[in-house]
Amino acid sequence: MARLSDEVIDRLSEEPDGVNRIAIFGLPGQMALLKDEIESFLRTPDCRGFQLLSIQDFQGQGDAYVGWLDCFWDSKGTTDPAVFRGYCAPVVAMAKLPSYIFTDGESLACDILVRNDGPADLHNARLTARLVDISGAHLGEKTFTYNAPKGGL
């Protein structure tokens, strides 16, 4: 994960100065990087799965406090299970954004991708995309229908 995290940090460093890059996704730093890494796999059409290593602390030969779960698989409070399932689930909607950061007055135009690894094709499914600012204030939303074949993007 270190190499991929470095790649994400490199992309974030290209954004305007003075931006709190750790809070871009509204998640703690480690989880923001993990979200970006998971979504990069989900955006890959031929990807058939991935493993999440070091999600749990290891207390064997010494201590290794590396995960967001403790050694008993209990949350350490760094992420909320419902938030995690928003980007790591059988069906995940993702915005294909041209940048991580937008400034006031800038228009947002992007594609919405739906990765469907669920049990069946999705036909005329409804998706509501909501745009909120960092404080959670509602900026806009759009509802549309889509088709997503099983195992596809």
Side-chain angles (χ1 to χ4, degrees), residues 12-135:
L12 291 175
S13 68
E14 296 170 4
E15 299 296 343
D17 289 335
V19 174
N20 183 349
R21 293 176 182 91
I22 297 300
I24 286 175
F25 302 112
L27 299 167
Q30 177 188 11
M31 298 310 296
L33 296 175
L34 182 64
K35 177 185 187 296
D36 190 69
E37 186 175 344
I38 289 171
E39 287 187 353
S40 74
F41 285 115
L42 297 177
R43 287 189 302 267
T44 305
D46 293 333
C47 179
R48 294 296 175 243
F50 56 89
Q51 290 183 322
L52 298 176
L53 304 176
S54 299
I55 65 172
Q56 174 196 26
D57 290 343
F58 175 74
Q59 292 180 320
Q61 300 170 343
D63 294 331
Y65 301 109
V66 294
W68 69 88
L69 302 175
D70 67 17
C71 63
F72 301 107
W73 292 91
D74 297 322
S75 175
K76 295 189 329 188
T78 58
T79 189
D80 179 90
V83 172
F84 183 78
R85 283 189 298 274
Y87 59 86
C88 190
V91 178
V92 177
M94 299 167 281
K96 189 174 179 181
L97 299 170
S99 174
Y100 285 110
I101 300 168
F102 296 88
T103 58
D104 190 26
E106 201 174 350
S107 295
L108 172 63
C110 67
D111 292 328
I112 301 293
L113 306 173
V114 177
R115 175 67 181 232
N116 178 14
D117 289 312
D121 293 345
L122 298 175
H123 299 285
N124 295 321
R126 291 176 46 102
L127 174 69
T128 300
R130 291 183 182 89
L131 183 63
V132 297
D133 66 13
I134 199 161
S135 70

